[in-house]
DNA sequence: AAGGGCGGCAACCGCCTGCTT
DNA sequence: GAAGCAGGCGGTTGCCGCCCT
């Protein structure tokens, strides 16, 4: 596969940057659906695009690929992200494999812009030395004080709670989880998550 | 109504890895 | 074993829209 692209003569064209137009999307989509991908660096020329191969690959994976799930992350998806991030760190591509229809970029963005701040806030509130708007929450943050914000806050606190009520036989400690200090005693991460959600038989014990 | 600030998202950048010669 | 290349990945940036003052 790689052989066929290795010594292809690539035209030296100025590559376009920035947002993709609907026309470019259509060209890329049509080309890939019709011919598949044997070599990303050859795709732009074959598809009639003035982009580089990497850009095309990214656009396809993150936006055009069939089966992508758009829209808000579900509570279950957020649980998965937080757990896996605590377990394996910022391995977004690996985390994304446990979230069908989600891309690594999407997961990363959601973590950086939302989950990380939420966790910090919950954590600091648990420590009792924070105002609700600190830790990334802006003083003018959206939905602050609204019913929606209130609801999401409660939900988040619920699924991060110690009682593990919605964790199906999982003893989960927020403080350790967010410090990357919790460990799974009896199960590998694959066993824990299976192909998708958090169904597993083992238990988490907090290791010092 | 307007401007400033923030959050969310798309895309780029640079490094790393694996493969081939 | 070294060099060159493509693909993969994580970090970062920049733009846009929404919300608040």
């Amino acid at each position: 596969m790689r052989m066929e692209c290795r010594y292809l003569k690539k035209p030296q064209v100025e590559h376009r940057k920035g947002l993709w137009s609907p026309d470019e999307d259509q060209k890329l989509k049509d080309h890939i659906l019709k011919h598949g991908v044997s070599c990303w660096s050859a795709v732009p020329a074959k598809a009639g695009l003035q982009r580089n191969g990497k850009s095309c690959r990214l656009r396809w994976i993150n936006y055009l690929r069939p089966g992508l799930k758009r829209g808000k992350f579900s509570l279950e998806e957020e649980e998965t992200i937080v757990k896996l991030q605590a377990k394996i760190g910022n391995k977004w591509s690996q985390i994304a494999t446990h979230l069908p229809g989600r891309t690594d970029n999407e997961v990363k963005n959601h973590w950086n812009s939302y989950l990380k701040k939420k966790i910090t806030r919950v954590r600091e509130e648990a420590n009792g030395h924070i105002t609700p708007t600190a830790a990334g929450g802006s003083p003018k943050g959206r939905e602050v004080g609204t019913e929606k914000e209130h609801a999401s806050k409660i939900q988040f606190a619920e699924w991060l709670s110690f009682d593990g009520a919605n964790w199906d036989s999982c003893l989960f400690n927020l403080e350790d989880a967010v410090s990357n200090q919790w460990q799974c005693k009896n199960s590998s991460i694959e066993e824990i998550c299976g192909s998708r959600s958090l169904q597993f038989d083992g238990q988490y014990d907090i290791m010092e």
Side-chain angles (χ1 to χ4, degrees):
Chain A
M1 194 256 276
R2 264 171 141 165
M3 281 295 289
E4 62 188 89
C5 42
R6 181 156 291 266
Y7 294 112
L8 282 176
K9 200 135 184 119
K10 316 272 184 340
Q12 294 299 312
V13 294
E14 194 67 22
H15 294 129
R16 232 176 77 81
K17 288 185 180 179
L19 294 177
W20 282 66
S21 67
D23 184 49
E24 288 178 307
D25 281 344
Q26 197 57 51
K27 281 182 179 175
L28 181 61
K29 200 172 178 179
D30 287 347
H31 175 80
I32 293 178
L33 290 177
K34 198 170 177 184
H35 302 100
V37 180
S38 59
C39 171
W40 280 112
S41 58
V43 164
K46 289 181 180 175
L49 295 164
Q50 289 186 311
R51 298 273 180 173
N52 63 28
K54 274 191 169 188
S55 182
C56 291
R57 175 184 159 273
L58 214 61
R59 186 63 178 169
W60 173 256
I61 289 174
N62 290 331
Y63 198 80
L64 299 173
R65 184 164 49 111
L68 285 179
K69 198 192 286 179
R70 314 295 301 178
K72 289 190 69 133
F73 279 75
S74 68
L75 207 58
E76 189 185 41
E77 287 175 318
E78 292 187 343
E79 290 173 4
T80 304
I81 295 170
V82 172
K83 287 193 72 179
L84 290 175
Q85 199 281 337
K87 178 71 181 172
I88 63 178
N90 298 349
K91 306 290 181 188
W92 305 120
S93 58
Q94 286 180 41
I95 293 172
T97 62
H98 296 280
L99 300 166
R102 300 294 189 184
T103 69
D104 54 353
N105 204 38
E106 213 175 355
V107 171
K108 179 174 59 180
N109 281 335
H110 191 61
W111 172 263
N112 284 331
S113 64
Y114 180 74
L115 289 177
K116 192 161 74 176
K117 291 168 188 172
K118 276 272 188 183
I119 284 181
T120 306
R121 193 171 70 200
V122 168
R123 208 179 154 192
E124 294 187 1
E125 283 178 10
N127 287 339
H129 55 74
I130 187 171
T131 61
T133 53
S138 93
K140 319 166 99 175
R142 288 179 219 177
E143 300 169 356
V144 172
T146 65
E147 210 174 300
K148 197 174 166 188
E149 164 70 4
H150 183 62
S152 68
K153 205 166 159 181
I154 290 172
Q155 283 185 322
F156 193 77
E158 275 174 356
W159 68 257
L160 286 175
S161 69
F162 277 72
D163 64 24
N166 49 354
W167 283 88
D168 290 353
S169 67
C170 171
L171 301 177
F172 182 70
N173 184 319
L174 164 64
E175 295 308 306
D176 286 284
V178 296
S179 334
N180 292 335
Q181 289 170 352
W182 64 289
Q183 296 182 34
C184 175
K185 202 173 174 182
N186 301 321
S187 312
S188 72
I189 200 70
E190 286 74 20
E191 287 168 335
I192 293 165
C193 300
S195 60
R196 143 150 218 291
S197 62
L198 300 158
Q199 306 294 324
F200 63 98
D201 296 327
Q203 275 196 340
Y204 290 118
D205 280 355
I206 305 307
M207 317 284 278
E208 282 302 318

